[in-house]
Every structure is written in structure tokens, then in C-alpha cells.
């Protein structure tokens, strides 16, 4: 009954960062590529040009670039004893949709994971002993190292025109950079961003306390730049409309600015928008994918035959596609068997709200999604975890993201919640407050996982993805520690009259935004018993299906994911080009 | 060798002010880009002194040959540039800020009207109300932001913006005098500033660039920074509306040639390289026909 399209070499699900890169690279290698994007085409011109793009109601409140919860959402519960309920409107994360996906509406905070993120289990065990890990934690080593990925990090840096000042080039410490930075082979292609007032105050206080603050690296371009695909980028103007928005200045790196214009010029590369993939179709023995079935914009079911299928949807939606397609054994936390859905994590964030003397004008509207002064003194394993009794860490920073009128009206606790007294408080504090943001690592546990929901279905009648998650004790201890450090810095900052620390508490709530960094569920590993894909993103069970993106992370780092997503994507596609195309089959046996 | 020549020139300026006015007028009307024509090849050429001979008057910009498009050169990947230290959180304060704080409108008015030794009166070219009586490549200054005006004079003085006449004039001004002038012109009303020229139609490309930019060349809409129909935005993004078309063309040529390099991180220099001569001509006429006055 389904219409069948002419066969292609590669079918890619999703036109975000990973799908765009894989598609372009495979097409350049001579493969016939189809990229299936469920959303609509969205381009900087005309879609994101001013003044229309600065529409907070449309993009932030009504989620114009986020997955439409009316047709497809997640259900959530804290533990197995509860019945999960569907999220009707996004609070805890903003899964992307439309061309570019979350790689289009992201903020541009740009980090690489720390080397110890890749050997989490063995590194901490070696330094502190195995007892540093709580029993419920299932964090594990990646099957590849930072050193192996470095050339691919570098490649992504130059694709997106990353801005920053190197702290460590090939092991040599660099003046003016972050002293904790892992080694890199080249400088950043563009200089660091300018520093708004609140981050500058944070940097001054943190340095006074003996820490090592620095300007956060970003994917917001800081000068006219031609990237490695020959595409032009322009300088960020610090308008403050990054997170949830498309960028009108060609300054924020996105697939439609940095990759897709080149891919679309190739005759063997096709982008099909409005194509919502339902599942990967397998042969009867379930050892091989035949292609994918999707629903097109007219509602027709279409079968697209392909030699290789690459899952490049938003992070954990790839896990749902695996479950819906019957690829890999679903994780069962009771019996601790199976792998698909295992090691799901979020990002353990917290903050300290700061309220200033009225002579300190913060101007929160002068910022950008990734303009921050940040510090890594408590990131990764840069500090002694021994006496603290937890693993992981996070960065502390002040980032001036936006003073958007609907969403931003900070008032101290105890202020009136409505009416003229509230308005007076907003007037008093709008220009005299800031927040220290703490972005921490997140450890997976046996009880936190992804599965298909037994009750709720999407617009096509398929089970929704169910998120079962609560914060592990380890992360609660980490958050308390990091938030206390943040509060100390806040109290040391000039002009600050009052601080309100907000460490992360249990139970985890899906009704508050924490980050869009939903990771794991299709962990990359060396052992098929604890991972879904091998070190090249190839599924253990179906060798012509590959998975990309943050679903591969065995646990989440304290650093934002996109840098590592980009690097692992190049790593995967290079292996496909160099080995898989010559000899299709398992790349790791 | 520089000093005696310079003194001589200074003396000459004092003695021969009317003559300079004449030359200035001539330059503004017929000089570099002054007739509205565009020099597309200027990108590759070193800055040349303004041609004294009159160019063909009213040559249509559209006549520029298509072969001169700057976009035909495939862009090369950029190489890293040394940047600011990531450990520098110092707050940037514009050099002119303090002087502008102390500036005096009346002192600015006096200087604008009478000039001083070595400095030609501004009104000769820019008009007593900040509206140029000359046409040609002279900008209307009335109501431009004082910060913008102060920055431009500062930049003429330090060489990051060059102009055969303005560079010399700015070098004769102190910080305080620049601030006085900026305060004065910034405070002049824009009500007298109708469209410099009536709408001549035929600027579809300009309208598209102003409001939508151009995706294939990664050009953002002009209006993103310069405001609705070129009305200007914030203290440092100048009004384009109501500026004479030859002035606009002149500035785009200056960005292309590097005579003007006082744009933040080279943003305008990069955009100007990607515009065709025809588009620059259309944009010039489009902005000239927009109303600069407040409504």
C-alpha cells in the first residue's frame, strides 16, 4: 500500500548537524543520499530576517522551532512505580524540529568534552578507587579516547567558525587561554567574544577568589569568516536572540549556514522536508535494514529503500526509532538486561540568582546565547573529588543570554507574585540582576532509562517515548557543592546585595527548563552487552544502521554536547567512507 | 621634511579658505564617486587620490559591466587571527565617551559656523542646519547620533577612515572640539530632512536587500542593523535614509577599497565586497528616497 521511491545508497533521518554533515560527506564520496526531515525548510533569508525573527511569543513561548507536542511528545515519570504522563508543552527541554533542528535554534555554547569524560569509569577508579562510584551508577568508558577524536573536534571547529582563545596547543599552555583546556591541534579560527558587564563582574570576583575564569568559547562568529566548505559567516551583533531563534546575521553556526548550501548543490544529494519517518524496515531475520518508511507532507506513507540508514534525529528520538524498528534489545531495568534506552541522562544544572545595587546597570538585553565568562576549576576531574564523595563536575559562569520581555522579569523571593507590587519589583530588578549558571555532568543509573510508553501514542498511532528519570544521589551532592561555590562567588561580586542559590533537588521535575541536553539511550561502547552501537556508531545488531548524536553518550559531561556531537559525526562518517563502503559489514567484530 | 610642508599647508588653509570651499564643493559634486557612479574594480586597487576631472555626469549605475562582480572569486577558507585574550574582561569604553560627556552645544555651533585656524567651517559643506546644500557626496549630519559623529571624526583623525578633506580637518580638531561638534550636530532636528530626492522607483533589488538580504551570498538584511528603511538604530548604527546617493556609493567604495576600515570587526567591508555595483547604486537611490525625518 505504501508508495515506494527509487532506491538510494544512504537514507538519513533528520537534517540537523549530524544528518547534514553525514549527508554532505557521503554525497561527496559519490553516494546517492536522501535526507528525510520531518519539519519544514527554514533559511536565514527570508525566514529569520529582522524584525520578524525577534518574536519571543512565536519562538520561545509557542515553540516555533521545537517538536510539535500536539503530534509527538515524550511522557515522563520519576521511577518505575509511577504512570508516565505526556508533556503537553515543553518545559524541561526544547527538542528541535524543522531544517537544522536543535542545531538551528541552539545557543552556540561550544565546548569539547574533557578527556576524563571518555574514560569516566577507569579514570575515577584509578585515581580514587572504585568506591567513589555509588552502586546505582552505570557510567562507563567510551570505546574511544579524546586523543582519537581530536582531529574531528578540530574539523568541526573550523566548519562552524568557533570563537575562543586556545589554552593548550599540542600540550603547550597558551597565554590568555583557559588553563584547564584539553589539548587542541590549532587555535580557534576566530577570536573570543566581547564581554558584557555581568560576566565581567563575575570574572573579576572569581579571579579574586583564586579561580581561573575565561571567556566561553562559542559558535557565534566574531568576525567575517569563510568556513571549510567555502561558506560565508558574519560577525555576531549581540542582539540576544539566539536560544530558540534562528540567526538573521549568519553569525550563529547552523547546518543551513555551514553545510547545507554546499550539499544541496550536489546532484546526488536530496533533501526531502515534511518527511516524518515512522521506522526503519528490516529484513525478516532482522539482520539488515531495507530502508525506511515515512509519511510525507500529504499524509501518504512512503517506503524509501536504502543500502545504509543513518539515524540523525534529535538526540533521544533516535532511541525511539530504534525501539519502534526493533533494532537492539530494549533495556529492562528490573532484570538489568538489554541495552536500548539504557544510560539515559539529562544535564544537572543549577544556579544562583543575584540582585544588585541600583547603580549597577546590567543591561540583560545586550548579550548572546553563548557570551559568558566561565570557569573550569570545578569541571570534570580538575579538582580533588576524594573528600567530596561524588564523581563529575561542572562549570560556573555568568552568561547574558537575553532580557526578553515575556520571559525575563527576575524578582527576589518573597516579592509579590502579581499586581502593582510585583510590577514595582520587576521595575526595580529588571536591570539589576543576573544569574550564575552551573552546568553539571549527569550520571546514569539503573533506574533511569528510555522506553516505549504503554499508554500514549503519537498522531500516527505509534507509542510515545517514555522518559523515566530521577537525579542520582551523586548528582545531588555534586549540585550542592557546585552551587555553594557559585554562591560564594556571587557574594564576592561587586554590587551584589542578595544571592539566591538554587541547588538541584529531588524529585527531578519535567515542569522546569533545565537544558535541552538529553543524552544516552543508544550508548556507544566496546561491549554489546552494555552498548547499542560500536565505536563507529554502527548498531551491533543491524550493521547497515548507524546512530549519531548525543544518544551515543554513555553519560553526560558537564560540557554542552554539540562540540562532541560534531566530532563524533565526522569520526563516524570518515570510517563509513574509508572502510564500510569498501566492505559493508560489521566494523568491529 | 613633513613639518615644513604641513605648516605651509596649514598657513595656506587659513589664507585660502574660500578657495578650499570651492575645491571642496567641486570634489563633492564631481569627485570620487560624486556623480553616483561606482568603481567596481576599486576592491583590488590601492586607494587613489580623487580624480579632479569630472566623471560623466549621471551615468546610470546599472551600466556597470557584469564582469566586474566581486562575487565571482571563490572565497578561500579563513585562517585564524590573533584575538583578544580570553582572560580580558575589561569593559570597553569608547575613546570619545568622556569628552562627549563634557561637550557643549554652543561651542559646537560656534566651531561649525566659523571654523578655526586650519579648520574649515563645517557649514560650508554640511549646511547650517546639518543638511548639505551641495548634494554630491556630502552627508546630512542633522540628528545623527552624537556618538556616531564623534566616532567618525575620531576615526578620520586616526586614519581608520580616510577622506581627502575630512582627514585633514579632523587632524586639526582636539578631543573636546570633536565632542562639541558631535553634540551640536547630533542635536539638530531632522524635521527639515525630507527625502533628499523624490522616489525614482526601480529599486526592487534594494528593497529585497534592505528587508531580506540574500541567502546564497549570506547577506543579512540591511534593516537588521540600520533599522527600518535605513532610519538608523542605536548610537553607532547610522541612519542611511535621506543621505545623498553619491555619498552612499562613495562610502561603499571606501569600504571596498579599505579607505574606510572603522567598521566593527570588518563587517561592512565584508558585506560591501559581496554587493554588485548595480545593487549598490540601487541601495543608494533607495535610501536617498527614504524619509529621514521623524514622523
Amino acid at each position: 500500500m505504501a508508495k515506494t521511491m527509487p532506491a538510494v545508497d544512504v537514507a538519513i533521518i533528520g537534517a540537523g548537524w549530524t544528518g547534514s554533515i553525514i549527508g554532505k560527506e557521503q554525497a561527496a564520496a559519490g553516494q546517492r543520499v536522501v535526507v528525510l526531515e520531518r519539519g519544514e525548510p527554514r533559511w536565514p533569508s527570508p525566514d529569520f530576517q529582522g524584525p520578524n525573527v525577534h518574536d519571543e511569543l512565536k519562538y520561545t513561548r509557542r515553540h516555533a522551532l521545537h517538536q510539535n507536542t500536539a503530534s509527538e511528545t515524550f511522557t515522563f515519570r520519576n521511577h518505575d512505580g509511577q504512570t508516565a504522563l505526556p508533556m503537553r508543552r515543553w518545559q524541561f527541554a526544547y527538542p528541535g524540529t524543522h531544517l537544522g533542528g536543535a542545531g538551528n535554534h541552539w545557543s552556540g555554547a561550544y565546548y569539547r568534552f574533557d578527556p576524563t569524560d571518555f574514560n569516566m569509569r577507569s579514570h575515577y577508579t584509578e585515581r580514587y578507587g572504585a568506591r567513589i562510584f555509588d552502586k546505582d551508577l552505570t557510567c562507563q568508558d567510551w570505546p574511544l579516547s579524546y586523543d582519537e577524536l581530536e582531529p574531528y573536534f578540530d574539523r568541526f571547529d573550523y566548519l562552524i567558525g568557533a570563537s575562543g582563545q586556545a589554552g593548550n596547543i599540542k600540550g603547550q599552555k597558551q597565554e590568555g587561554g583557559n588553563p584547564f583546556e584539553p589539548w587542541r591541534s590549532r587555535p580557534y579560527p576566530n577570536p573570543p567574544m566581547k564581554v558584557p558587564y555581568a560576566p565581567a563582574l563575575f570574572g573579576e570576583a572569581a579571579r579574586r577568589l583564586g579561580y581561573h575564569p575565561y571567556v566561553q568559547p562559542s559558535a557565534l562568529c566574531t568576525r567575517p569568516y569563510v568556513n571549510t566548505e567555502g561558506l560565508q559567516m558574519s560577525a555576531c551583533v549581540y542582539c540576544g536572540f539566539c536560544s530558540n531563534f534562528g540567526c538573521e546575521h549568519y553569525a550563529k553556526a547552523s547546518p543551513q549556514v555551514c553545510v547545507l548550501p554546499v550539499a544541496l548543490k550536489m546532484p546526488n544529494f536530496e533533501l526531502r522536508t515534511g518527511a516524518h519517518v515512522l521506522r526503519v524496515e528490516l529484513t525478516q531475520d532482522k539482520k539488515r535494514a531495507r530502508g525506511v518508511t515515512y509519511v510525507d507532507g500529504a499524509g501518504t506513507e512512503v517506503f524509501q529503500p536504502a543500502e545504509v540508514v543513518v539515524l540523525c534525529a534529535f538526540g533521544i528520538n533516535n532511541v525511539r526509532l530504534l525501539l519502534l524498528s526493533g533494532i537492539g534489545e530494549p533495556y529492562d531495568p528490573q532484570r538489568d538486561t538489554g541495552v536500548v534506552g539504557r544510560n539515559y541522562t539529562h544535564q544537572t544544572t543549577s544556579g544562583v540568582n543575584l540582585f544588585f545595587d541600583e547603580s549597577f546597570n546590567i543591561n540583560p538585553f545586550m548579550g548572546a546565547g553563548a557570551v559568558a565568562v566561565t570557569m573550569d576549576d570545578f569541571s570534570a576531574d580538575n579538582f580533588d573529588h576524594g573528600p567530596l564523595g561524588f564523581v563529575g563536575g561542572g562549570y560556573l559562569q555568568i552568561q547574558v543570554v537575553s532580557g526578553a520581555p515575556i520571559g525575563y522579569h527576575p524578582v527576589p523571593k518573597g516579592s509579590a507574585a502579581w499586581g502593582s507590587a510585583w510590577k514595582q519589583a520587576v521595575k526595580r530588578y529588571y536591570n539589576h540582576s543576573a544569574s550564575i549558571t552551573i552546568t553539571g555532568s549527569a550520571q546514569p543509573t539503573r533506574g533511569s532509562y528510555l522506553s516505549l510508553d504503554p499508554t500514549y501514542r503519537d498522531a500516527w498511532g505509534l507509542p510515545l517515548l517514555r522518559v523515566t528519570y530521577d537525579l542520582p544521589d551523586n548528582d545531588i551532592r555534586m549540585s550542592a557543592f557546585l552551587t555553594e561555590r557559585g554562591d560564594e562567588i556571587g557574594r564576592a561580586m561587586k554590587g551584589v546585595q542578595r544571592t539566591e542559590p538554587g541547588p538541584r533537588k529531588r524529585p527531578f521535575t519535567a515542569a522546569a527548563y533545565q537544558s535541552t541536553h538529553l543524552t544516552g539511550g543508544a550508548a556507544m561502547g566496546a561491549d554489546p552487552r552494555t552498548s547499542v552501537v560500536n565505536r563507529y556508531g554502527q548498531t551491533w545488531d543491524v550493521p547497515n544502521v548507524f546512530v549519531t548524536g548525543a544518544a551515543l553518550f554513555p553519560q553526560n559531561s558537564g560540557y554542552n554536547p554539540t562540540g562532541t556531537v560534531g566530532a563524533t559525526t565526522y569520526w563516524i562518517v570518515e570510517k563509513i567512507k574509508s572502510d564500510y563502503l569498501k566492505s559493508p559489514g560489521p566494523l568491529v567484530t | 621634511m613633513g613639518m615644513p610642508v604641513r605648516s605651509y599647508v596649514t598657513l595656506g588653509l587659513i589664507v585660502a579658505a574660500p578657495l578650499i570651499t570651492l575645491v571642496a564643493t567641486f570634489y563633492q559634486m564631481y569627485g570620487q564617486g560624486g556623480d553616483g557612479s561606482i568603481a567596481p574594480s576599486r576592491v583590488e586597487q590601492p586607494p587613489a587620490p580623487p580624480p579632479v576631472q569630472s566623471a560623466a555626469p549621471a551615468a546610470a549605475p546599472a551600466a556597470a559591466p557584469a564582469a566586474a562582480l566581486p562575487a565571482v572569486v571563490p572565497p578561500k577558507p579563513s585562517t585564524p587571527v590573533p584575538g583578544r585574550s580570553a582572560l580580558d574582561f575589561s569593559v570597553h569604553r569608547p575613546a570619545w565617551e568622556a569628552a562627549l560627556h563634557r561637550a557643549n552645544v554652543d561651542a559646537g555651533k560656534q566651531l561649525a559656523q566659523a571654523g578655526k585656524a586650519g579648520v574649515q567651517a563645517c557649514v560650508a559643506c554640511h549646511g547650517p542646519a546639518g543638511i548639505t546644500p551641495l548634494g554630491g557626496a556630502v552627508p546630512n549630519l542633522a540628528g545623527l547620533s552624537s556618538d556616531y559623529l564623534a566616532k567618525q571624526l575620531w576615526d578620520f583623525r586616526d586614519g581608520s577612515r580616510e577622506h581627502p578633506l575630512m582627514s585633514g580637518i579632523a587632524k586639526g580638531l582636539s578631543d573636546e572640539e570633536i565632542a562639541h561638534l558631535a553634540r551640536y550636530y547630533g542635536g539638530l532636528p531632522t524635521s527639515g530632512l525630507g527625502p533628499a530626492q523624490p522616489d525614482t522607483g526601480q529599486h526592487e533589488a534594494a528593497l529585497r536587500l534592505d528587508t531580506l538580504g540574500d541567502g546564497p551570498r549570506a547577506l543579512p538584511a540591511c534593516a537588521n542593523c540600520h533599522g527600518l528603511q535605513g532610519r538608523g538604530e542605536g548610537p553607532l548604527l547610522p541612519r542611511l535614509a535621506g543621505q545623498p546617493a553619491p555619498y552612499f556609493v562613495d562610502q561603499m567604495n571606501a569600504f571596498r577599497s579599505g579607505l574606510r576600515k572603522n567598521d566593527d570587526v570588518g563587517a561592512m567591508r565584508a558585506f560591501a565586497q559581496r554587493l554588485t555595483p548595480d545593487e549598490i547604486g540601487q541601495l543608494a537611490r533607495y535610501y536617498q528616497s527614504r524619509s529621514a525625518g521623524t514622523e
Side-chain angles (χ1 to χ4, degrees):
Chain A
M1 154 174 165
K3 176 173 141 190
T4 298
M5 298 295 283
V8 295
D9 298 315
V10 190
I12 291 169
I13 304 168
W17 274 124
T18 71
S20 301
I21 289 172
I22 300 249
K24 186 255 150 186
E25 291 297 318
Q26 295 260 60
Q31 300 277 292
R32 287 165 300 160
V33 174
V34 166
V35 177
L36 302 166
E37 164 57 45
R38 66 179 171 181
E40 292 163 31
R42 293 277 186 268
W43 295 96
S45 175
D47 301 299
F48 303 145
Q49 291 305 299
N52 297 337
V53 74
H54 290 191
D55 185 340
E56 190 191 358
L57 186 64
K58 175 179 177 180
Y59 289 103
T60 302
R61 300 286 124 187
R62 294 182 177 157
H63 306 286
L65 297 174
H66 305 152
Q67 180 174 310
N68 181 1
T69 55
S71 51
E72 185 190 354
T73 186
F74 307 140
T75 67
F76 182 83
R77 59 181 183 172
N78 282 124
H79 55 80
D80 268 348
Q82 298 173 322
T83 301
L85 290 173
M87 300 178 193
R88 308 279 180 182
R89 51 180 289 196
W90 293 121
Q91 300 279 3
F92 90 138
Y94 298 146
T97 197
H98 301 308
L99 194 64
N104 174 41
H105 76 62
W106 68 317
S107 304
Y110 187 65
Y111 293 94
R112 299 173 173 195
F113 280 6
D114 189 81
T116 60
D117 287 322
F118 294 95
N119 56 359
M120 184 86 203
R121 181 66 69 169
S122 55
H123 172 84
Y124 278 86
T125 303
E126 192 180 316
R127 181 168 173 189
Y128 302 106
R131 289 172 62 185
I132 188 86
F133 290 100
D134 286 358
K135 284 212 164 51
D136 62 337
L137 299 187
T138 55
C139 32
Q140 61 196 38
D141 287 0
W142 287 60
L144 73 171
S145 67
Y146 175 87
D147 289 0
E148 283 176 288
L149 268 185
E150 202 287 333
Y152 305 92
F153 277 119
D154 177 79
R155 197 163 161 193
F156 195 60
D157 287 356
Y158 279 71
L159 178 83
I160 67 165
S163 71
Q165 169 75 24
N168 177 346
I169 295 179
K170 295 180 179 160
Q172 298 293 311
K173 294 281 180 198
Q174 303 291 307
E175 195 70 30
N178 168 24
F180 295 108
E181 188 176 71
W183 74 275
R184 48 195 303 121
S185 45
R186 281 192 287 175
Y188 289 86
N190 290 308
M193 300 194 77
K194 297 173 184 181
V195 180
Y197 189 38
L201 292 171
F202 172 86
E204 187 276 324
R207 190 176 286 156
R208 198 158 18 90
L209 295 176
Y211 299 130
H212 300 85
Y214 67 102
V215 180
Q216 173 176 268
S218 100
L220 311 178
C221 209
T222 50
R223 60 166 182 147
Y225 176 72
V226 179
N227 83 352
T228 42
E229 302 287 349
L231 295 168
Q232 311 257 12
M233 299 178 74
S234 299
C236 173
V237 306
Y238 303 84
C239 73
F241 287 84
C242 307
S243 322
N244 304 325
F245 298 87
C247 177
E248 73 266 45
H249 295 286
Y250 299 85
K252 179 171 73 175
S254 67
Q256 45 268 73
V257 167
C258 300
V259 189
L260 286 167
V262 169
L264 285 167
K265 288 201 176 117
M266 299 175 177
N268 51 334
F269 177 96
E270 187 193 346
L271 170 67
R272 231 173 268 165
T273 52
H276 181 96
V277 174
L278 302 178
R279 67 191 153 267
V280 180
E281 303 289 357
L282 303 181
T283 53
Q284 274 200 326
D285 61 5
K286 297 195 179 291
K287 292 206 167 125
R288 190 175 160 75
R290 297 188 295 121
V292 302
T293 295
Y294 68 91
V295 178
D296 71 11
T300 309
E301 220 171 273
V302 181
F303 175 61
Q304 174 62 61
E307 291 299 315
V308 173
V309 175
V310 191
L311 307 191
C312 299
F314 173 79
I316 60 173
N317 279 337
N318 291 317
V319 180
R320 180 168 183 245
L321 282 165
L322 291 170
L323 291 167
L324 290 173
S325 309
I327 299 171
E329 190 188 339
Y331 180 60
D332 178 343
Q334 304 300 330
R335 293 186 294 133
D336 201 15
T337 57
V339 286
V340 182
R342 184 176 176 274
N343 278 27
Y344 164 81
T345 52
H346 202 127
Q347 185 101 62
T348 309
T349 59
S350 60
V352 182
N353 293 334
L354 310 176
F355 299 94
F356 290 81
D357 181 280
E358 274 182 285
S359 63
F360 283 72
N361 291 299
I362 299 302
N363 294 341
F365 40 84
M366 294 168 69
V371 65
V373 169
T374 193
M375 52 177 261
D376 283 338
D377 299 74
F378 299 110
S379 287
D381 193 26
N382 296 341
F383 56 110
D384 186 3
H385 286 74
L388 300 169
F390 62 80
V391 298
Y395 61 72
L396 285 70
Q397 65 175 202
I398 284 189
Q399 176 164 278
V400 178
V401 183
S402 156
I406 303 173
Y408 190 74
H409 22 67
V411 291
K413 279 178 190 155
S415 302
W418 58 281
S420 56
W422 175 75
K423 286 178 189 165
Q424 273 169 12
V426 171
K427 190 176 167 196
R428 161 65 181 84
Y429 288 106
Y430 176 83
N431 206 26
H432 313 289
S433 65
S435 293
I436 296 176
T437 308
I438 298 158
T439 302
S441 55
Q443 306 310 324
T445 62
R446 185 163 163 180
S448 291
Y449 66 105
L450 304 170
S451 54
L452 292 178
D453 193 278
T455 313
Y456 295 96
R457 291 171 181 269
D458 69 9
W460 298 273
L462 300 171
L464 295 179
L465 188 69
R466 179 175 61 183
V467 177
T468 306
Y469 182 71
D470 208 346
L471 292 150
D473 288 338
N474 178 83
D475 288 15
I476 295 288
R477 295 198 296 275
M478 178 194 74
S479 184
F481 174 79
L482 295 176
T483 311
E484 242 171 70
R485 302 290 81 72
D487 192 48
E488 284 164 9
I489 298 169
R491 282 188 273 116
M493 281 171 61
K494 285 179 184 151
V496 169
Q497 291 180 326
R498 177 180 173 144
T499 65
E500 288 179 1
R504 195 55 69 190
K505 295 262 168 65
R506 251 203 312 257
F508 177 93
T509 172
Y513 184 77
Q514 336 229 341
S515 94
T516 296
H517 313 149
L518 310 176
T519 69
M524 180 185 263
D527 182 348
R529 288 169 304 177
T530 53
S531 60
V532 175
V533 301
N534 64 27
R535 69 200 307 258
Y536 304 110
Q538 184 180 41
T539 59
W540 290 112
D541 295 10
V542 186
N544 68 335
V545 173
F546 290 79
V547 185
T548 64
L552 305 181
F553 301 172
Q555 58 271 328
N556 201 5
S557 162
Y559 293 112
N560 304 50
T562 304
T564 304
V565 165
T568 48
T569 303
Y570 274 123
W571 159 266
I572 289 167
V573 77
E574 285 307 318
K575 187 68 178 181
I576 293 175
K577 278 158 57 179
S578 68
D579 288 34
Y580 182 86
L581 293 182
K582 286 179 194 131
S583 169
L587 293 163
V588 175
T589 46
Chain B
M1 164 186 142
M3 279 313 289
V5 171
R6 194 178 184 138
S7 308
Y8 176 76
V9 169
T10 308
L11 187 65
L13 281 166
I14 297 164
V15 175
L19 180 65
I20 295 292
T21 306
L22 196 66
V23 172
T25 308
F26 185 77
Y27 168 74
Q28 282 132 19
M29 295 182 73
Y30 302 111
Q32 171 198 16
D35 60 348
S37 68
I38 294 156
S41 61
R42 189 136 331 129
V43 176
E44 275 76 39
Q45 287 174 358
V52 183
Q53 78 280 9
S54 112
L69 298 190
V72 295
V73 186
K76 278 188 221 130
S78 307
T79 46
V81 291
R84 260 170 20 121
S85 158
L87 308 184
D88 175 11
F89 319 136
S90 56
V91 178
H92 171 71
R93 303 236 81 120
W96 58 89
E97 188 187 46
L100 205 54
H101 222 67
R102 297 189 301 265
N104 178 299
V105 175
D106 293 330
K109 183 176 185 178
Q110 165 73 19
L111 187 56
Q113 290 182 340
K116 67 165 196 173
V119 174
Q120 167 66 13
C122 314
V123 297
C125 299
H126 293 286
I131 299 168
T132 175
L134 303 173
V138 181
N140 296 317
L141 304 183
L144 287 172
S145 93
S146 297
D147 282 274
Y148 175 75
L149 290 166
K151 178 179 190 299
Q152 299 313 308
L153 285 168
W154 223 271
D155 294 344
F156 278 128
R157 197 171 61 177
D158 74 16
S160 56
R161 180 173 177 182
E162 289 180 61
H163 185 275
L165 289 166
M166 286 307 301
S167 299
I169 289 170
K171 283 182 174 64
L173 295 170
S174 67
D175 293 1
E176 283 67 32
E177 287 165 336
I178 285 177
H180 295 326
L181 287 169
R183 197 52 94 197
Y184 171 63
Y185 276 107
L188 290 177
T190 55
S191 49
L193 249 176
Q197 295 277 310
D199 195 337
T200 52
Q202 211 203 352
H203 44 229
E204 275 167 46
L207 191 62
R208 200 181 63 242
L209 288 165
D210 183 32
T211 56
L212 298 176
D214 184 49
R217 283 177 290 171
L219 283 170
C222 311
N224 285 340
C225 296
H226 288 280
L228 192 64
Q229 303 196 358
R231 283 182 207 177
E233 212 171 82
L236 289 179
L237 294 160
R239 179 186 75 220
L240 306 174
Q243 293 295 13
Y247 171 70
F248 182 94
V249 171
D250 213 32
Q251 293 315 300
M252 296 303 273
N253 279 334
F255 281 126
R256 286 162 67 131
S257 69
L259 274 179
R260 186 170 179 179
K261 46 184 179 289
N262 64 337
D263 51 334
D264 190 26
V265 302
M268 276 310 303
R269 275 169 284 169
F271 295 143
Q273 302 283 358
R274 277 180 259 161
L275 290 167
T276 69
D278 180 47
E279 287 167 337
I280 291 174
Q282 277 205 35
L283 284 165
R285 279 175 283 133
Y286 168 76
Y287 286 123
Q288 175 178 260
S289 73
R290 299 296 104 180
S291 173
T294 45
E295 267 138 63

